[in-house]
Amino acid sequence: MSASIQSAKIGDSVIRKEDHRLVTGAGCFSDDVNLPGQAYSVMLRSPHAHAKVLGIHTKNALKCPGVISILTGQDLITDKIKAIPHRPFSPHPADIMLTNSDGSEMFMAPHYPLVVDKVRHVGEAVAMVIAESLAAAKDGAEAIEVDYEILPSVTDTVSAAKKNAPRVFDTAPSNVCLDAETGDREKTEQAFAKAAKIVSFTTWIPRITGVPLEPRAAVGEYTDNGRHYTLHAGTSGAWRTQMDIAIMLGVHEDHVRVITKDVGGHFGTRGMLYGEFLLVVWAARRVGRPVKWTCDRQEAFVSDYQARDLAVEAELALDEKGHFLAIRGSNISNAGGHTTNFSPLRKGVEIMSTIYRMPAAFFRARGVVSNTAPTRPYRSSGRPEVIYVMERLIDLAALACGIDRVTLRRINLLQNHEMPYTNPFGMVFSDGDYHQSMEKALRMADWDGFEQRRQEAKTRGQCRGIGIANYVDTASGVPRERAEMTLRADGTVEVIIGTVSTGQGHETSFAQLVTDWLGVPFDQVKILTGDTQFVKFGGGTHSGRGLRLASIVIHSACQTIIKKGKRIAALLLKCEPSVIEFKEGVFYQKGELGQESQGGPVSLTQVAEASMGLTDLPEELQGPLRAIGDETVTVAEFPYGCQVVEVEIDPQLGSLKIINYTAVDDVGRAVNPAIIHGQVHGGIAQGVGQALMEQAHYDPVSGQLLSGSFMDYAMPRASDFPFFNAQYIEIPSKTHPLGMRPAGEGGTAPALGVMINAICHALQDYGVKHVEMPATSERIWQAIQQAQATKTS
Amino acid sequence: MPNVSLTINGKKISQPIEARTLLVQLLRDQLSLTGTHVGCDTSQCGCCTVHLNGKGVKSCAVLALSCQDSVITTIEGLAEGETLHPMQQAFREGHALQCGFCTPGMIMAGIDMVKRKGYELDEKTVREELEGNLCRCTGYHTIVKAIQAGARAMKNL
Ligand code: FES
Ligand code: FES
């Protein structure tokens, strides 16, 4: 089936435009870029978690054959390179603000691509070696001698927050950079005072890392002529990278070009500037030739921005009928070795009560630094963590109150008529039919038939469990997006847009929008992105903003094209523009579609030709028809849904098998169902990975990352999953002009909670109350042993 | 520098190489066959899978010199002109890729699986056989289905 004969409108599972090149090996990922005369670089990284750098001795290294140059933090300072411009929160009016409750400023410290004073985590780059070949650069790095004064380190989140913890920044009074309060303390205390039941839950959502399968790589170029820097690298949006690099170099943006082609996964991990991207362009200027750097996988484990790592203490108050009265507690988020990003802390705590009716809430939210790799948002940032906490609290409350878990959810889940709902932290959920998604998931998973399946499993000595979790995802992020559309004389439509696809298939889904709205054949729509030569703005791919915002700006550009087209068509048809209508790529006079009267109808291509050929057009209609859609969208979207998971555990081994995984997501309006399902499946796998196996495990004493390769870091594999039972519903969003809700994060958001709920349910008969993540076979087995030991003692 | 002679995607090649060169380095860095990817340094991810004398191997774990006189097929050598190999076609039609980074390795591993296990592959077999191929994007759902579909389509080759 070729794409041209397929229907390719909104709602069709169109075969992706990008896939022909990707299945034939013709994609262009970062490491596939090679420039004539390029030199190769490697980073010498710190073997210590925390140490003062007293001296870097490069004499011997510079003598190694092939070594061209060695750069250190001191060179950055000499060249007046600025620190990485981290933005700890992405600005969006729909999110709440977190500020220090004592009124002081949040602590921020500069983060340089190469260490300038002390190393703050294992793997931090200390020196950059540039050589004729990769092997020579590696030899050079081995010959560098660094004098370290090793300092005591702290990696654990709760420990890092303590007053007497080793201090990551000497200039800060403690490792707590942000200490905020949110909600209503008094109202919450009152609610707790009259509660019939209080359940509490203390947990840690482990540190993981995103592991996009393509390791980072970059090639930097510099031309003296024009003092121009070019970076070839996989980013989530070339424009933001261009801006950041220009800031660091202290040059105007016009002197920096960033080119991003195919990107092998992102998930949040690629969402901020990486120091190495600056280093390759700076080094290119220094050595006078292009410089390439490719990250090894082991290097990626220690130097990619990591994720999650949240310590939570939470309490839920209920009345005697099971109504939620209030929630309170404390969240501590671990930002790692630099003050890079505190967004996940906010994105979580602001929806601590998720999609349940919660009259009062109060939370303390702290962001700490520690001797670990810096963290940043990872798929569904902050939300999977708190949804897990809420869904665990509900299951624990159900047990404590003797109320059925589904009933308890039904009682407290927000109803349609309560929308829009302002949650106790001040977030406004616009709309959503939460009961519909939950009931659908329950039916799809045959919740009611579970008991029978459990009995059957029991006859085989297996423990079956079923779990449920509802989710809401707050999609906000950078609010502005821009599309530039050009209609060429041959009928081709080009759309320049700033968000880069990192696997989401924008070339396809964005083109479907144009095909639908302008009636242009799918093959004739070209989505252009990833090169700042022509991309003038783009917020980047994150927070479910790709299609959500692209659809708005593309729609607005299409409307402008149609409006301009009507004026040209009117000239061609010798009538007033007001009597021209547009449908399926054709302009016609009202009531005359299909009739050959007065020379009409006129196709979009004819209009395009006219815009190029007719000389008597008003100036603004001459030349190829152009339109710009540039919008700042200040409302957030709240996609939601429900997951139900059934597992089977072998109590002798602690081994677990996922029997059935059901997911329901409200996507508002589906553009490409196949892409949506793919997003959900992939999201589930990442959530399940975290729940069952993944952990960036730092040794608490040495601060070493013990899970630093695919030999140690457990990645979800094909054999860990069944086929997923995923369906979506389409209730048009009331706040998105086209009704769309993002679908990229819903797979992950409830996955942690639903998995642990299912596991705990399976082990209920053993008296197991909870299993911490990652719920490995060993942990499950230990939980059974411990519960049994407590029972008998 | 020693020399290696071999056939890659039907083309005879003779190339001087450093003795330590890995097959994947020969392919990517010297022959610009960048469709074969490198996703790890411990032979776990499978992104670098190619066919060596008809058998699936991880080219990051093979010394190029050891391939003297062998026949190698990479992802670039599967399609016949514009006609995709049935396994490529199955991946494309089944939306079995997102970022596409694991894809060349998955397709090469899928074909190898068919050669060893036949045209009718059950779900369990495919999942187990994918032990050495990681994908971070898809949750494997569509990959497993595409390999099953590709396997059936290969019957008619
Ligand atoms: S690169 Fe060969 S297995 Fe990962
Ligand atoms: S499609 Fe991205 S890793 Fe498989």
Side-chain angles (χ1 to χ4, degrees):
Chain A
M1 201 171 14
S2 94
S4 56
I5 55 163
Q6 256 190 325
S7 171
K9 291 188 166 181
I10 294 176
D12 295 325
S13 282
V14 186
I15 290 178
R16 302 196 316 170
K17 281 178 190 269
E18 28 292 82
D19 289 355
H20 191 276
R21 71 169 183 272
L22 295 174
V23 299
T24 52
C28 183
F29 293 90
S30 302
D31 186 55
D32 300 345
V33 177
N34 290 296
L35 299 177
Q38 73 188 14
Y40 297 81
S41 66
V42 300
M43 305 297 154
L44 176 70
R45 297 187 180 274
S46 168
H48 305 296
H50 197 192
K52 262 196 200 123
V53 177
L54 303 177
I56 304 173
H57 309 290
T58 57
K59 219 166 119 207
N60 290 341
L62 282 166
K63 280 191 217 139
C64 290
V67 171
I68 300 166
S69 175
I70 295 171
L71 300 173
T72 66
Q74 208 42 56
D75 299 312
L76 286 172
I77 303 294
T78 308
D79 283 7
K80 299 197 173 53
I81 304 291
K82 309 219 174 43
I84 303 174
H86 290 308
R87 296 165 194 86
F89 296 107
S90 64
H92 196 288
D95 291 304
I96 64 164
M97 292 292 288
L98 290 183
T99 51
N100 279 342
S101 49
D102 66 2
S104 63
E105 278 290 304
M106 173 180 153
F107 177 79
M108 290 286 291
H111 175 199
Y112 288 95
L114 295 170
V115 167
V116 293
D117 52 354
K118 60 175 186 174
V119 295
R120 293 182 170 83
H121 66 90
V122 162
E124 189 156 16
V126 176
M128 177 188 200
V129 184
I130 300 142
E132 295 294 342
S133 70
L134 186 58
K138 284 188 177 173
D139 290 345
E142 265 182 35
I144 298 176
E145 284 165 48
V146 185
D147 288 338
Y148 290 106
E149 180 191 326
I150 299 168
L151 303 167
S153 61
V154 61
T155 57
D156 166 70
T157 312
V158 175
S159 312
K162 295 205 171 116
K163 271 258 161 299
N164 57 355
R167 196 77 53 80
V168 179
F169 289 93
D170 305 334
T171 49
S174 77
N175 292 328
V176 180
C177 305
L178 174 66
D179 192 345
E181 289 176 350
T182 176
D184 188 328
R185 184 197 292 262
E186 216 172 304
K187 214 171 144 194
T188 306
E189 293 314 314
Q190 284 164 6
F192 268 86
K194 60 172 200 239
K197 203 63 149 186
I198 296 174
V199 285
S200 53
F201 180 49
T202 300
T203 189
W204 178 58
I205 294 88
R207 159 89 56 137
I208 58 166
T209 178
V211 200
L213 210 54
E214 181 205 10
R216 290 181 286 128
V219 190
E221 273 183 278
Y222 177 76
T223 49
D224 257 332
N225 183 1
R227 291 181 288 119
H228 206 95
Y229 300 85
T230 305
L231 171 74
H232 305 258
T235 67
S236 75
W239 176 80
R240 292 211 303 174
T241 309
Q242 174 198 32
M243 200 170 60
D244 287 348
I245 288 194
I247 292 171
M248 292 179 77
L249 292 169
V251 301
H252 190 273
E253 283 169 28
D254 290 349
H255 288 268
V256 179
R257 179 179 178 189
V258 176
I259 303 171
T260 291
K261 292 191 175 164
D262 290 309
V263 185
H266 165 22
F267 322 118
T269 307
R270 289 189 213 266
M272 299 191 304
L273 186 77
Y274 278 100
E276 293 90 349
F277 292 181
L278 175 282
L279 291 178
V280 291
V281 292
W282 171 61
R285 186 185 84 199
R286 279 268 191 155
V287 303
R289 58 198 272 198
V291 173
K292 180 169 185 166
W293 170 74
T294 303
C295 191
D296 286 342
R297 178 56 65 190
Q298 300 190 34
E299 206 180 352
F301 274 109
V302 292
S303 66
D304 277 2
Y305 294 124
Q306 300 184 348
R308 309 282 196 236
D309 199 340
L310 183 79
V312 181
E313 283 173 17
E315 286 182 301
L316 176 68
L318 304 94
D319 70 11
E320 63 290 336
K321 293 214 177 87
H323 298 113
F324 299 161
L325 298 175
I327 187 169
R328 69 181 173 197
S330 143
N331 287 3
I332 311 177
S333 171
N334 191 337
H338 287 280
T339 48
T340 47
N341 203 299
F342 294 99
S343 176
L345 177 67
R346 172 177 70 170
K347 290 295 249 183
V349 79
E350 69 186 11
I351 58 153
M352 209 64 217
S353 46
T354 74
I355 50 179
Y356 299 96
R357 195 178 305 105
M358 192 70 73
F362 179 76
F363 262 77
R364 183 178 180 193
R366 276 170 289 178
V368 300
V369 282
S370 70
N371 297 113
T372 55
T375 59
R376 77 168 316 279
Y378 169 64
R379 204 158 193 174
S380 189
S381 171
R383 281 88 81 182
E385 296 92 310
V386 301
I387 289 162
Y388 152 77
V389 170
M390 188 67 214
E391 296 295 328
R392 285 301 296 132
L393 277 169
I394 299 176
D395 273 19
L396 292 169
L399 280 177
C401 303
I403 304 177
D404 169 70
R405 337 175 245 165
V406 173
T407 310
L408 194 56
R409 284 177 171 83
R410 282 193 184 119
I411 296 173
N412 291 287
L413 198 59
L414 286 164
Q415 298 275 2
N416 254 345
H417 64 82
E418 294 171 273
M419 311 300 278
Y421 175 80
T422 306
N423 87 355
F425 304 96
M427 296 290 288
V428 185
F429 296 171
S430 43
D431 64 321
D433 190 343
Y434 303 154
H435 286 263
Q436 189 181 136
S437 53
M438 181 170 85
E439 299 303 330
K440 185 175 168 80
L442 289 168
R443 277 194 309 275
M444 279 164 61
D446 185 22
W447 183 277
D448 294 338
F450 172 76
E451 193 45 41
Q452 212 176 339
R453 298 194 293 277
R454 194 176 80 98
Q455 291 304 336
E456 184 280 327
K458 215 171 170 181
T459 61
R460 291 181 282 111
Q462 302 295 302
C463 305
R464 271 227 182 184
I466 192 165
I468 181 169
N470 289 300
Y471 82 89
V472 64
D473 192 65
T474 44
S476 52
V478 176
R480 185 180 158 206
E481 192 52 81
R482 179 184 167 97
E484 287 176 36
M485 195 175 280
T486 308
L487 179 61
R488 301 267 170 218
D490 62 358
T492 311
V493 177
E494 287 172 6
V495 184
I496 294 174
I497 192 149
T499 56
V500 167
S501 170
T502 52
Q504 301 87 344
H506 294 173
E507 285 168 59
T508 304
S509 58
F510 292 2
Q512 285 178 254
L513 302 176
V514 179
T515 294
D516 199 304
W517 293 329
L518 289 185
V520 182
F522 181 66
D523 286 351
Q524 287 183 31
V525 186
K526 293 199 168 57
I527 306 296
L528 305 172
T529 186
D531 186 343
T532 57
Q533 189 93 312
F534 51 80
V535 172
K536 293 298 164 230
F537 182 85
T541 317
H542 63 270
S543 204
R545 66 183 295 295
L547 189 69
R548 173 169 60 96
L549 298 191
S551 60
I552 295 175
V553 292
I554 289 175
H555 188 257
S556 123
C558 286
Q559 292 307 310
T560 309
I561 293 274
I562 292 171
K563 215 151 116 204
K564 286 187 176 176
K566 279 185 180 172
R567 290 176 60 194
I568 297 177
L571 289 171
L572 294 172
L573 296 172
K574 300 194 175 44
C575 63
E576 282 301 308
S578 58
V579 301
I580 301 281
E581 296 208 332
F582 178 78
K583 206 177 165 195
E584 311 261 341
V586 176
F587 296 93
Y588 58 95
Q589 283 191 52
K590 267 184 194 150
E592 290 190 355
L593 183 58
Q595 295 170 22
E596 282 300 316
S597 66
Q598 299 189 20
V602 179
S603 74
L604 197 62
T605 312
Q606 284 170 300
V607 164
E609 275 169 8
S611 73
M612 294 301 287
L614 289 185
T615 46
D616 53 349
L617 288 177
E619 209 177 313
E620 72 272 19
L621 296 179
Q622 281 182 18
L625 269 193
R626 286 216 165 87
I628 291 173
D630 192 328
E631 310 270 340
T632 299
V633 182
T634 52
V635 289
E637 281 304 317
F638 297 92
Y640 63 91
C642 181
Q643 291 184 353
V644 175
V645 168
E646 198 163 323
V647 299
E648 209 166 276
I649 291 172
D650 185 331
Q652 303 297 319
L653 303 169
S655 58
L656 173 141
K657 208 173 150 205
I658 300 172
I659 305 293
N660 192 5
Y661 203 117
T662 302
V664 175
D665 302 89
D666 181 2
V667 300
R669 185 179 179 196
V671 174
N672 186 316
I675 291 180
I676 289 173
H677 285 308
Q679 286 292 313
V680 173
H681 298 160
I684 291 172
Q686 287 181 324
V688 170
Q690 164 139 39
L692 298 185
M693 60 192 88
E694 293 180 43
Q695 185 177 347
H697 187 91
Y698 283 92
D699 181 81
V701 179
S702 66
Q704 293 296 325
L705 180 70
L706 299 183
S707 53
S709 80
F710 280 147
M711 310 281 278
D712 324 287
Y713 188 93
M715 285 285 285
R717 285 164 205 268
S719 55
D720 293 315
F721 303 103
F723 286 129
F724 303 110
N725 181 15
Q727 288 184 25
Y728 57 77
I729 50 178
E730 292 177 279
I731 304 175
S733 158
K734 289 192 177 131
T735 45
H736 189 281
L738 304 155
M740 296 171 186
R741 301 176 200 269
E745 304 188 326
T748 311
L752 281 50
V754 79
M755 280 309 304
I756 301 300
N757 276 352
I759 291 168
C760 295
H761 183 244
L763 303 180
Q764 207 167 292
D765 289 351
Y766 285 94
V768 172
K769 290 243 156 44
H770 179 63
V771 182
E772 278 280 275
M773 292 186 285
T776 57
S777 298
E778 198 238 347
R779 281 224 170 127
I780 291 172
W781 188 82
Q782 292 286 5
I784 296 172
Q785 306 311 309
Q786 270 166 24
Q788 283 188 319
T790 334
K791 246 189 198 167
T792 48
S793 68
Chain B
M1 235 187 262
N3 206 73
V4 67
S5 308
L6 66 174
T7 307
I8 298 180
N9 298 334
K11 246 173 75 186
K12 280 205 166 14
I13 276 156
S14 189
Q15 182 96 6
I17 51 167
E18 272 192 62
R20 60 181 164 184
T21 308
L22 298 168
L23 177 56
V24 70
Q25 292 170 329
L26 172 68
L27 295 171
R28 288 183 55 81
D29 303 341
Q30 303 194 25
L31 304 173
S32 297
L33 291 168
T34 52
T36 302
H37 296 154
V38 176
C40 73
D41 39 21
T42 50
S43 293
Q44 306 278 303
C45 75
C47 293
C48 63
T49 308
V50 300
H51 296 163
L52 170 62
N53 296 326
K55 284 198 180 122
V57 295
K58 289 181 171 174
S59 61
C60 72
V62 176
L63 279 170
L65 270 187
S66 72
C67 303
Q68 179 66 28
D69 299 329
S70 352
V71 175
I72 285 166
T73 307
T74 71
I75 189 74
E76 290 94 342
L78 289 182
E80 309 248 347
E82 276 302 292
T83 313
L84 295 178
H85 184 282
M87 194 57 83
Q88 290 173 308
Q89 187 66 5
F91 268 67
R92 186 165 167 260
E93 281 178 2
H95 185 54
L97 57 149
Q98 289 180 30
C99 79
F101 194 77
C102 70
T103 312
M106 288 286 179
I107 291 173
M108 299 313 279
I111 296 170
D112 180 58
M113 211 182 288
V114 178
K115 285 190 187 153
R116 287 182 293 107
K117 303 269 165 178
Y119 301 110
E120 290 300 327
L121 297 171
D122 62 24
E123 181 194 347
K124 190 162 178 279
T125 305
V126 178
R127 289 187 185 275
E128 277 171 6
E129 287 287 326
L130 283 180
E131 165 73 23
N133 287 78
L134 296 176
C135 174
R136 191 56 152 171
C137 299
T138 62
Y140 303 99
H141 182 108
T142 48
I143 292 180
V144 175
K145 295 208 169 190
I147 291 179
Q148 290 181 302
R152 283 192 296 271
M154 276 173 70
K155 213 185 224 169
N156 308 322
L157 262 189

